[in-house]
Amino acid sequence: MQKTPLYDLHVELGGKMVEFAGYQMPVQYPAGVLSEHQHTRESASLFDVSHMGQLILKSTVLGAELEKLVPSSIQNLTQGQTRYTVLLNEEGGILDDLLVTHRGDHLYLVVNASRKDEDLAYLRQHLDAEINYIEERSLIALQGPKAVDVLSALNPVCATMKFMTGQTLELAGMSVYITRSGYTGEDGFEISVHNNDVEELSRLLLESEFVKPAGLGARDSLRLEAGLCLYGHDMDETINPIQAGLRWIIQKRRREEKGFPGADKILDQLENGPEKIRVGIKPEGRAPAREGVEIVDSDGNKIGVVTSGGFGPTVQGPVAMGYVEASKSGIGEKINLMIRGKAMPANIVEMPFAPHRYYRG
Amino acid sequence: MLKFSKDHEWVEVDGDVATVGITQYAADALGDVVFVEVPEAGATFSQGDDAAVVESVKAASEVYAPLSGEVTEGNQVLADNPGMVNEDPLGEGWFFKLKVSDAAELEEMMDEDAYNEFIADL
C-alpha cells in the first residue's frame, strides 16, 4: 500500500484513511462528507490527488503522436491550454480519461490512479514518444468559489487564468505548475508541486479562513452532481465516447480526418446514435439509487443500469447517472429504479445536477 | 434497560414493547445519514431479519430485527429528517417499536458494559 507525501498531514487532520487504487487516502475528515461537500460549493476545499498519475510525453511532432490514441484535437492546443480527452482501445472503448496540457516542449498528462500503470505501458507500446512519470511531484486541488481569492493572495496571476489553462508560477517561493481545472464543477485549481514542498504549501492554504480539507467522499459526491464520469464505473473499455455522452471531445478536424482507434464505429454512432447512452437520473423519492441498480420502463422491461448514484448534498436529494437504451433516453422520460425489489419512480434529466461554475474569463 | 446486539442495534423494553435503534458507534461509522426506511406497523420479523434500511452518503446498510415480534410503529420523523440518526441515535433517532414475541431472545443480548467491551475490540 502506498502513501502520498501528505499522508502524515491527513492523519494529523483526523482523516479517515481508506485504500483507494493502492494508496492510503482520506475518505473524509472529522467534518464529514456532507459538510466537506457544502464547504467546497460555498468556499474552498483542499484535496490531495497525488495518487493520480502525472506523465510527461515528449515526441518530435507534439500532439500528432498522442492523437493516434485519443479522439480529441491535441495538435491544435496552444501552449498552456488544457484539454479533457480519453484514451481508446482498438474498438473505440475507453481505456482511461485524462487531462492533456501543452507545456511548450512536451505534453503534461494527468491520468487516473487506478489506470496509470496500464496507461503508461499502452502509450509506450503504441507511440513513438518518450513517456515518463513525474515521480518528484505531488498533485493537490483547491476547489470552490473562494479558491481564486486564496491563490491570488499568493500570486495575483492566478486570478487572470481561464478555465482549462495552465502555467508555471511561484506560490510563496515554491515553483508550481498550476491549471485552472478540477473535478467538482466549481471554479478551482490543480497544483503540481514538488514532493518536498507539498506539505508546506498545503499547510499554507489550510491557514486561510476559507479553506478546509476534503476527502474522496466529497470528491465523489461533487463530481456526481457535476455530471462527471468516474472511470471504471461510468465508463470502461466496453463504452465508447459517444455512449458516454462525450461527443463534444471529438473536434471537427478529428471527425473529418479520423485516424484514431475505433474511428469508424465511433463516427457511425456519432451520426446515427448509439444503442445505449449515459443519462442523468433524478429519483422522485428520497431513496438513493446506487451503482448496479436496474433501470426498467413503465412495463417493467429492463432498459439499463445505474453506474453512479447517491445523495446529492447540493441538490438535497438523490441523484444518479447510468446507461439506458437510446430510445428511452429523452429528457423527461419516466423510468423506474429497482431498489430492494421495489420499483421506485424516477425521471431522466439533464446534467449537471448542480450548475458548473467555471471561470471562462 | 438498554440492551445491545452485535449488529450495533439497541433495544429498550417497556412492558412487552421494544424500541429499536442503532448505536452511537454505528451512527459514527456510517457517517452522515441521508435516507432511512423504517418498517410499517403490522410487519412481523424473526430475529435477524432485514427490518430497516439506513443509507449514509457513502453506502446503504441493513438494520436487522434484534428481536422477533410485530412492529407497532415506525419512526416517521426519520423519513423527513434522516440526520436525526446522527444527532440523537439513542433518543429521537429510534427506528421502530416492536411487540416482542420471545422474551428469551432479550436475555442473549449484551448489556451496556458488555457492548462497550465488544466495540473496544473491533
Side-chain angles (χ1 to χ4, degrees), chain A residues 309-321:
Chain A
F311 181 80
T314 303
V315 175
Q316 280 292 302
V319 291
M321 62 174 86

Side-chain angles (χ1 to χ4, degrees), chain A residues 28 34 286 288 290 311 340, chain B residues 32 53 55-58 79:
Chain A
Q28 64 172 78
L34 283 185
R286 286 186 62 94
R290 308 270 175 186
F311 181 80
R340 290 178 285 273
Chain B
D32 300 309
V53 175
E55 299 206 23
S56 69
V57 189
K58 287 172 271 173

Side-chain angles (χ1 to χ4, degrees), chain B residues 27-91:
Chain B
D28 291 347
L30 282 167
D32 300 309
V33 172
V34 295
F35 175 76
V36 175
E37 189 175 88
V38 295
E40 289 178 11
T44 58
F45 297 119
S46 297
Q47 189 179 37
D49 284 355
D50 294 350
V53 175
V54 56
E55 299 206 23
S56 69
V57 189
K58 287 172 271 173
S61 308
E62 308 288 348
V63 176
Y64 308 108
L67 300 168
S68 305
E70 180 179 334
V71 174
T72 60
E73 187 185 354
N75 185 1
Q76 299 308 321
V77 169
L78 298 185
D80 294 324
N81 188 6
M84 190 58 80
V85 175
N86 297 109
E87 283 171 41
D88 192 10
L90 278 78

Side-chain angles (χ1 to χ4, degrees), chain A residues 271-313:
Chain A
E271 192 171 321
N272 301 312
E275 283 178 16
K276 62 173 182 178
I277 191 158
R278 185 172 64 97
V279 293
I281 299 161
K282 185 88 188 74
E284 289 181 5
R286 286 186 62 94
R290 308 270 175 186
E291 181 176 6
V293 162
E294 268 193 22
I295 304 170
V296 301
D297 64 14
S298 48
D299 297 326
N301 303 307
K302 184 181 175 182
I303 56 167
V305 65
V306 170
T307 52
S308 279
F311 181 80

Side-chain angles (χ1 to χ4, degrees), chain A residues 76-83 100-103 164-166 177:
Chain A
N76 298 49
L77 289 179
T78 53
Q79 184 166 347
Q81 192 181 0
T82 301
R83 185 157 275 172
V100 181
T101 303
H102 185 309
R103 295 211 303 199
M164 297 299 263
T165 66
Y177 191 83

